């Protein structure tokens, strides 16, 4: 453990095992009681979550899924917020067994220059995105914090015909309070760090390099809060260890943050192990089945109703569409997961170039953003590019008090309509525009109170007349 590092004692393996054991003994009527409790939107205890994870009756499973859909819609409405990842550097000094960027993989590494970042951002903007998740490997020499801060400045400064990126979430290695302060000053949205696995022995087995320090990694969010970052995103790389253990541990971490800082995780992500250069899924005995992933997402939606839940393009389209219905509130789309790949993909389409470096992992959903939107509109979802909370100071406790009382959808729905209208004016295909009309009309009619709906109508007209970046 690094000198001065706090021990991550809030992840208590014995308590997790006890909760798993207790949940296994719940009767059908006990589980139905848990589902009823979850519908009150107050969240669940570890043991209750565990009971949901052990259910093997398809009818009760369907009840869990139904409740997950209801809870997501009660808190966030039908909106799904989109973002794109941007990989700026694949230098990495770690040797994580599951990742293409591990130091043992021999290929020519690079980080993007400011000009290259601008090119990447323009490709992302021209798809219609307004949010970026900035990603980089860990290498304090080749990719120091100053480079990340400059990359953020470059991203915020880059404009395309119809605007700029409005929010940058950052996913970089665990670091110091001082460096988190630098990210805060540079305008970070959410600081995202996946735990990979909460199980200490597994963590030790799959990591080497500075990241192998479990306590340093697991207490990263404490340092981020100390630095003043109040939106943090958790996640597990499902497939490294037993999925039930990991799911209960995730809730334990979320509860700890909520209790300690008065703010639970802003988001939770559900990456699953994917094939990647230099690794084989055959070496990982805990690979998670599709049905299990659905259970994880739905059960966590019942357990931490106020938290945004993110699904990436790791998953195949059909499964993504199914899982979205179970409580997902944010999606990446049109993603490239290698350094410089957005620009290269444009180039590749022109002259059939091959990428020189491997992506961090293989993407499962290759649909364009517009195609994903077309596929979700018939289900009544409202695509959103909203960044309003972050820019209105609704972060941390301010945000949580709205989310926990299920009032946030009063903001989400009008903001989804305003930002989707921008998308329709600036980027959408004719097919998307046709599909969007009835969804927009219905969503507008649902906005309450009346005064808010009228104001939203006015702002939609202003957007159609050429104004941009209006929000509530
Ligand atoms: Fe490096 Fe992160 Fe990949 Fe590990 S998971 S090798 S730290 S980029
Ligand atoms: Fe997210 Fe806030 Fe916008 Fe809702 S209103 S989509 S919570 S930024």
């Amino acid at each position: 453990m690094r000198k001065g590092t706090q021990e991550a004692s809030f992840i208590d393996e014995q308590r997790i095992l006890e909760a798993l054991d207790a949940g296994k003994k719940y009767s059908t009527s006990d589980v139905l009681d848990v589902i009823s409790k979850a519908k009150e939107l107050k969240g669940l205890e570890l043991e209750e979550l565990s009971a949901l994870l052990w259910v093997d009756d398809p009818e009760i499973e369907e009840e869990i899924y139904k409740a997950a859909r209801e809870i997501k819609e009660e808190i966030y409405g039908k909106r799904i917020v989109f973002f794109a990842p941007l990989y700026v550097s694949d230098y990495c000094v770690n040797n994580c067994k599951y990742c293409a960027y591990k130091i043992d993989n021999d290929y020519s590494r690079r980080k993007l220059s400011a000009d290259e970042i601008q090119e990447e951002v323009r490709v992302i903007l021209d798809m219609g995105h307004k949010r970026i998740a900035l990603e980089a490997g860990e290498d304090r020499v080749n990719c120091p914090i100053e480079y990340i801060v400059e990359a953020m400045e470059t991203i915020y400064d880059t404009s395309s015909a119809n605007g700029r990126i409005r929010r940058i979430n950052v996913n970089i290695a665990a670091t110091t309070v001082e460096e988190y302060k630098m990210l805060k000053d540079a305008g970070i949205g959410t600081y995202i760090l996946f735990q990979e696995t909460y199980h200490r022995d597994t963590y030790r087995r799959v990591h080497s390099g500075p990241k192998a320090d479990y306590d340093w990694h697991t207490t990263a969010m404490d340092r981020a809060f100390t630095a003043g970052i109040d939106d943090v995103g958790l996640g597990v790389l499902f497939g490294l260890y037993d999925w039930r253990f990991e799911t209960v541990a995730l809730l334990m971490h979320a509860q700890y943050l909520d209790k300690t800082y008065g703010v639970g995780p802003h988001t939770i992500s559900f990456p699953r192990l994917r094939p990647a250069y230099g690794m084989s899924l055959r070496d990982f005995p805990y690979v998670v089945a599709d049905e299990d992933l659905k259970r994880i997402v739905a059960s966590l939606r019942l357990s931490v109703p106020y938290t945004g839940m993110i699904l990436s393009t790791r998953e195949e389209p059909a499964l993504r569409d199914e899982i979205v219905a179970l409580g997902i509130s944010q999606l990446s789309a049109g993603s490239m997961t290698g350094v410089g790949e957005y620009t290269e993909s444009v180039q590749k389409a022109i002259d059939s170039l091959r990428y020189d470096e491997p992506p961090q992992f293989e993407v499962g959903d290759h649909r364009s953003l517009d195609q994903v939107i077309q596929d979700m509109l018939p289900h009544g979802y409202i695509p959103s590019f909203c960044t309003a909370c972050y820019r209105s100071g609704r972060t941390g406790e301010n945000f949580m008090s709205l989310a926990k009382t299920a009032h946030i959808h009063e903001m989400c729905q009008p903001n989804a309509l305003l930002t989707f209208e921008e998308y329709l004016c600036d980027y959408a295909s004719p097919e998307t525009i046709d599909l969007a009309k009835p969804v927009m009309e219905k969503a507008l009619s649902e906005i309450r109170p009346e005064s808010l709906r009228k104001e939203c109508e006015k702002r939609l007209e202003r957007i159609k007349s050429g104004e941009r970046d209006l929000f509530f």
Side-chain angles (χ1 to χ4, degrees):
M1 201 197 296
R2 282 176 213 213
K3 208 166 156 234
T5 306
Q6 177 196 342
E7 191 189 344
S9 53
F10 50 86
I11 301 298
D12 181 339
E13 292 194 2
Q14 190 53 38
R15 269 192 66 213
I16 295 169
L17 295 175
E18 283 164 13
L20 285 172
D21 209 34
K24 208 174 184 175
K25 295 178 185 136
Y26 273 43
S27 66
T28 300
S29 90
D30 292 339
V31 174
L32 289 173
D33 286 346
V34 171
I35 296 171
S36 299
K37 179 184 170 189
K39 288 182 185 170
E40 291 167 20
L41 309 182
K42 301 270 190 293
L44 296 178
E45 296 305 322
L46 303 181
E47 190 179 305
E48 295 165 333
L49 166 62
S50 151
L52 301 180
L53 301 177
W54 286 112
V55 165
D56 58 7
D57 176 338
E59 280 180 29
I60 309 291
E61 184 175 56
E62 193 41 50
E63 289 299 315
I64 298 173
Y65 292 168
K66 213 167 119 223
R69 284 190 280 269
E70 283 170 21
I71 291 170
K72 188 260 161 177
E73 284 181 25
E74 193 157 343
I75 296 199
Y76 288 106
K78 290 281 273 186
R79 62 82 165 153
I80 301 282
V81 174
F82 282 100
F83 72 96
L86 173 60
Y87 287 74
V88 293
S89 168
D90 55 15
Y91 285 105
C92 194
V93 295
N94 290 299
N95 207 31
C96 310
K97 287 193 173 163
Y98 46 82
C99 178
Y101 290 175
K102 65 184 167 193
I103 197 166
D104 272 1
N105 275 351
D106 187 19
Y107 64 95
S108 152
R109 291 170 193 260
R110 66 163 167 150
K111 64 171 183 271
L112 298 177
S113 67
D115 285 350
E116 288 170 327
I117 289 173
Q118 289 201 325
E119 280 180 52
E120 292 279 283
V121 172
R122 286 196 191 105
V123 176
I124 292 170
L125 282 168
D126 289 345
M127 288 184 214
H129 283 293
K130 301 287 187 248
R131 284 180 182 226
I132 272 181
L134 185 156
E135 318 258 351
E138 178 172 11
D139 185 332
R140 300 184 76 78
V141 175
N142 289 299
C143 181
I145 192 72
E146 290 77 12
Y147 169 77
I148 298 292
V149 166
E150 281 166 24
M152 290 173 70
E153 286 164 4
T154 305
I155 294 167
Y156 278 132
D157 281 349
T158 304
S159 58
S160 182
N162 302 308
R164 292 167 192 263
I165 292 297
R166 298 171 183 163
R167 175 180 176 121
I168 307 173
N169 298 333
V170 178
N171 181 353
I172 59 163
T175 188
T176 60
V177 172
E178 290 67 34
E179 295 197 349
Y180 285 127
K181 279 188 183 147
M182 291 168 75
L183 295 178
K184 171 83 182 161
D185 292 344
I188 188 173
T190 305
Y191 173 63
I192 297 167
L193 184 68
F194 299 154
Q195 176 62 30
E196 320 297 12
T197 172
Y198 283 99
H199 187 249
R200 269 185 193 265
D201 284 350
T202 304
Y203 191 93
R204 209 172 293 129
R205 200 168 43 73
V206 298
H207 294 114
S208 58
K211 185 169 171 179
D213 186 336
Y214 179 95
D215 292 289
W216 176 253
H217 188 82
T218 312
T219 56
M221 296 314 185
D222 297 81
R223 294 190 296 282
F225 273 111
T226 306
I229 296 176
D230 53 6
D231 279 356
V232 300
L234 303 181
V236 158
L237 181 55
F238 282 98
L240 295 179
Y241 188 60
D242 175 71
W243 61 272
R244 290 188 181 89
F245 179 98
E246 302 285 22
T247 310
V248 173
L250 243 178
L251 178 59
M252 187 175 252
H253 197 175
Q255 288 179 339
Y256 161 76
L257 294 178
D258 200 4
K259 199 164 151 222
T260 311
Y261 301 101
V263 184
H266 190 72
T267 56
I268 293 180
S269 302
F270 305 87
R272 256 197 315 184
L273 263 185
R274 290 285 301 165
Y277 172 60
M279 69 81 103
S280 163
L281 284 184
R282 280 194 296 271
D283 297 333
F284 294 88
Y286 290 100
V287 168
V288 173
D290 292 356
E291 287 306 310
D292 298 337
L293 184 63
K294 284 163 63 179
R295 183 72 64 83
I296 293 165
V297 171
S299 304
L300 278 169
R301 173 49 74 210
L302 267 62
S303 304
V304 269
Y306 55 83
T307 293
M309 302 206 331
I310 301 179
L311 194 66
S312 78
T313 50
R314 286 171 186 256
E315 304 301 336
E316 309 287 331
L319 182 65
R320 284 233 298 177
D321 292 348
E322 263 191 81
I323 292 180
V324 164
L326 299 177
I328 293 297
S329 52
Q330 290 189 33
L331 277 180
S332 53
S335 304
M336 296 288 161
T337 56
V339 176
E341 272 197 9
Y342 288 103
T343 316
E344 285 172 12
S345 69
V346 173
Q347 200 56 35
K348 190 184 175 201
I350 296 167
D351 56 20
S352 304
L353 272 182
R354 283 183 55 79
Y355 306 131
D356 293 332
E357 300 96 22
Q360 193 188 26
F361 57 86
E362 285 178 19
V363 164
D365 185 348
H366 296 274
R367 291 175 294 176
S368 67
L369 172 62
D370 199 64
Q371 189 60 54
V372 173
I373 289 175
Q374 273 183 40
D375 291 348
M376 65 194 283
L377 284 169
H379 301 283
Y381 293 114
I382 313 158
S384 175
F385 298 89
C386 174
T387 56
C389 285
Y390 155 75
R391 294 156 85 221
S392 323
R394 289 193 298 262
T395 63
E397 278 186 89
N398 289 338
F399 171 82
M400 283 294 160
S401 62
L402 282 170
K404 284 181 178 171
T405 50
H407 285 301
I408 195 67
H409 71 269
E410 292 163 15
M411 296 287 113
C412 294
Q413 187 116 333
N415 282 319
L417 292 182
L418 296 180
T419 54
F420 188 42
E421 186 61 52
E422 289 186 341
Y423 179 85
L424 293 171
C425 291
D426 296 337
Y427 309 100
S429 63
E431 295 81 4
T432 303
I433 293 171
D434 282 348
L435 286 168
K437 272 186 197 145
V439 177
M440 292 286 280
E441 278 166 19
K442 180 167 181 294
L444 186 59
S445 72
E446 289 165 355
I447 293 177
R448 298 285 180 280
E450 185 77 3
S451 54
L452 181 60
R453 185 177 58 71
K454 288 215 161 99
E455 183 55 34
C456 187
E457 265 172 1
K458 277 190 208 155
R459 293 189 190 189
L460 285 168
E461 288 308 315
R462 284 165 61 192
I463 289 171
K464 284 180 195 155
S465 310
E467 276 190 71
R468 292 291 175 268
D469 204 9
L470 305 175
F471 56 89
F472 290 96

